[in-house]
Amino acid sequence: MELSIEQKNEIEKMEDILCKYFRIEKNDIISDIRAQKNSVARYFLWYILHYELGISFLAIGRLYFRTPRTIKLGCSKMRLRIKTHRHYKSIYAELSEELSDMIAEYKKLFV
């Protein structure tokens, strides 16, 4: 599935919120830097894009210059962390609340 320009614009707005939340730059999401703060933000974004918005691993990979397998691995790591760690569950709840209107709008427009 190829993402439209409108979809990419909506995703960029979500990126902005995640970057602000984690206090990182947008380039940190795309970069190969493995610092925990960067990778956690990256994995949360991929998790939300896949599980909340239904975007395929392939499409997310194309957007962030990664293989679908890398995206799937990051989403799997985040899914396990959210399930087993209160800290990650709390972060996910905060992000979900902050992004809820954007997610609903995205689904209304594109799903």
Side-chain angles (χ1 to χ4, degrees):
M1 163 177 120
E2 190 65 35
L3 298 173
S4 69
I5 292 172
E6 292 84 8
Q7 286 172 302
K8 290 177 183 178
N9 289 339
E10 290 299 314
I11 290 168
E12 277 191 37
K13 292 175 191 175
M14 292 180 194
E15 286 175 4
D16 291 338
I17 290 172
L18 264 83
C19 288
K20 185 177 177 183
Y21 183 90
F22 287 102
R23 296 184 185 123
I24 62 171
E25 299 294 322
K26 268 188 163 182
N27 290 340
D28 294 335
I29 290 176
I30 296 172
S31 76
D32 288 334
I33 296 171
R34 293 186 180 192
Q36 184 177 8
K37 185 165 58 168
N38 297 354
S39 61
V40 168
R42 189 179 305 131
Y43 293 163
F44 265 114
L45 178 62
W46 296 349
Y47 182 87
I48 290 167
L49 294 178
H50 181 69
Y51 289 107
E52 296 288 340
L53 304 182
I55 299 173
S56 71
F57 296 131
L58 180 61
I60 297 169
R62 286 182 180 158
L63 195 59
Y64 295 102
F65 309 104
R66 301 291 200 287
T67 64
R69 183 176 180 188
T70 300
I71 302 299
K72 184 177 182 179
L73 179 63
C75 287
S76 296
K77 283 182 179 181
M78 191 49 60
R79 188 177 206 181
L80 180 63
R81 289 174 184 171
I82 290 169
K83 188 183 271 188
T84 59
H85 298 284
R86 277 185 275 172
H87 177 68
Y88 286 97
K89 192 179 289 187
S90 172
I91 292 171
Y92 181 64
E94 290 174 18
L95 288 172
S96 292
E97 185 176 320
E98 197 162 341
L99 294 170
S100 63
D101 292 340
M102 295 176 89
I103 290 170
E105 183 67 20
Y106 183 95
K107 287 180 178 179
K108 188 169 73 172
L109 292 173
F110 304 112
V111 178

